[in-house]
């Protein structure tokens, strides 16, 4: 029995038990057994639809984040080509880490390998369908973008101010809320931000005695930047994240020296 599929197993025992019931109760038991077998087969035939529906529901729970990450990780190179490498990695990561554990738990483990591309296609459609704020409203000038980021922090209740163009030591915006100081470097780019910005804002947080540090950009971040951010406690944010950013003093996110 171990080599049979769950559907075959259910049909087998339904027929066996139903056959015993037929010998005792006759036609009514036969009708009930036939109906049960039909329901099992119908459930099996409906399995692909239920699988797609489950993947879609999982993706829709994260639609806003997926749409934002798609916009961050897609850009045009110097030749006008659309570069989606970062988004394709992000999409595959989401499927592997978020979707697969749930569908395996729900009994669709056999769908993982043959339907991985289909899952990515569903995630792509969900990300594309979610509306995001218009990027055209974002200032293109670097100084104006810093003021824009400070204003977005103000929407979240932060007391935020740009530091000015000179002597900022890698810090473009200083913000404080609930006794927590946030040090921000702002990058208005047309392509993903590299790890140099992470290094600079981590050093700036020490200089400005910051409790939190972040690089904020309209674009995405390179894998090297994400890796370095993970070890330094620097947050990598899109400017849309600022209007809901909350202060925190979690140890894993601190960028100060241990003696402070």
């Amino acid at each position: 029995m171990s080599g049979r599929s769950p559907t075959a197993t259910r049909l087998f025992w339904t027929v066996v038990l139903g056959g015993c019931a037929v010998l005792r109760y006759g036609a009514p038991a036969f009708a009930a057994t036939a109906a049960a077998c039909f329901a099992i087969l119908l459930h099996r035939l409906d399995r692909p639809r239920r699988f797609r529906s489950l993947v879609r529901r999982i993706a829709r729970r994260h639609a806003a984040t997926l749409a934002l990450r798609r916009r961050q990780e897609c850009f045009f190179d110097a030749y006008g080509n659309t570069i989606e490498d970062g988004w394709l990695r992000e999409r595959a990561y989401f499927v592997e880490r978020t979707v697969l554990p749930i569908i395996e738990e729900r009994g669709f483990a056999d769908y993982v390998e043959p339907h991985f591309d289909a899952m990515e296609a569903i995630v792509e459609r969900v990300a594309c369908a979610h509306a995001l704020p218009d990027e055209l409203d974002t200032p293109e000038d670097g100084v104006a973008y810093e003021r824009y980021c400070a204003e977005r922090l103000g929407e979240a209740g932060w007391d935020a101010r740009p530091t000015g163009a000179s002597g900022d030591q890698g810090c473009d915006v200083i913000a404080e809320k609930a006794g927590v100081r946030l040090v921000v470097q702002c990058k208005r780019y047309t392509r993903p931000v590299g790890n140099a910005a992470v290094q600079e804002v981590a050093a700036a947080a020490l200089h400005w005695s910051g409790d939190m540090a972040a690089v904020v950009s309209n674009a995405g971040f390179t894998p090297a930047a994400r890796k370095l951010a993970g070890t330094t406690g620097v947050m990598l944010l899109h400017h849309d994240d600022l209007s809901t950013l909350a202060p925190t003093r979690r140890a894993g996110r601190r960028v100060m020296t241990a003696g402070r």
Side-chain angles (χ1 to χ4, degrees), residues 25 92 96 104 106 136 139 154 157 167 181 187 198 200 208-209:
Y25 299 105
E96 291 171 0
E104 289 174 350
R106 300 290 182 86
L136 296 178
R181 174 171 287 185
K187 295 293 185 183
V198 179
E200 291 170 5
W208 290 88
S209 300

Side-chain angles (χ1 to χ4, degrees), residues 13 17 62 81 100 102 132 167 186 198 202 205 230 237:
W13 286 110
L17 297 176
H62 305 275
N81 301 310
L100 293 191
I102 297 176
L132 288 173
C186 306
V198 179
L237 306 174

Side-chain angles (χ1 to χ4, degrees), residues 4-132:
R4 295 184 181 180
S5 68
T7 300
T9 301
R10 294 190 190 100
L11 283 172
F12 174 81
W13 286 110
T14 299
V15 171
V16 169
L17 297 176
C20 295
V22 168
L23 293 175
R24 182 177 180 88
Y25 299 105
F30 177 80
T33 301
C37 290
F38 178 77
I40 292 171
L41 290 173
L42 187 62
H43 186 266
R44 175 66 183 185
L45 293 174
D46 190 50
R47 197 162 181 253
R49 185 200 63 79
R50 290 184 289 111
F51 165 76
R52 293 191 299 271
S53 178
L54 177 58
V55 175
R56 194 176 300 112
R57 287 199 305 272
I58 298 169
R60 284 175 177 169
R61 293 174 199 162
H62 305 275
T65 301
L66 288 168
L68 182 58
R69 298 291 294 123
R70 187 180 188 279
R71 184 161 74 180
Q72 289 175 330
E73 297 295 348
C74 296
F75 65 96
F76 293 100
D77 65 12
Y79 307 102
N81 301 310
T82 302
I83 305 302
E84 299 182 336
D85 298 18
W87 164 242
L88 297 180
R89 287 193 297 268
E90 183 77 13
R91 189 179 66 186
Y93 177 84
F94 175 77
V95 171
E96 291 171 0
R97 296 300 182 91
T98 304
V99 177
L100 293 191
I102 297 176
I103 66 171
E104 289 174 350
E105 179 185 336
R106 300 290 182 86
F108 290 99
D110 56 317
Y111 273 53
V112 171
E113 186 172 348
H115 295 281
F116 195 89
D117 290 347
M119 288 185 280
E120 287 191 317
I122 291 172
V123 171
E124 180 74 25
R125 287 194 293 272
V126 169
C128 291
H130 186 84
L132 288 173

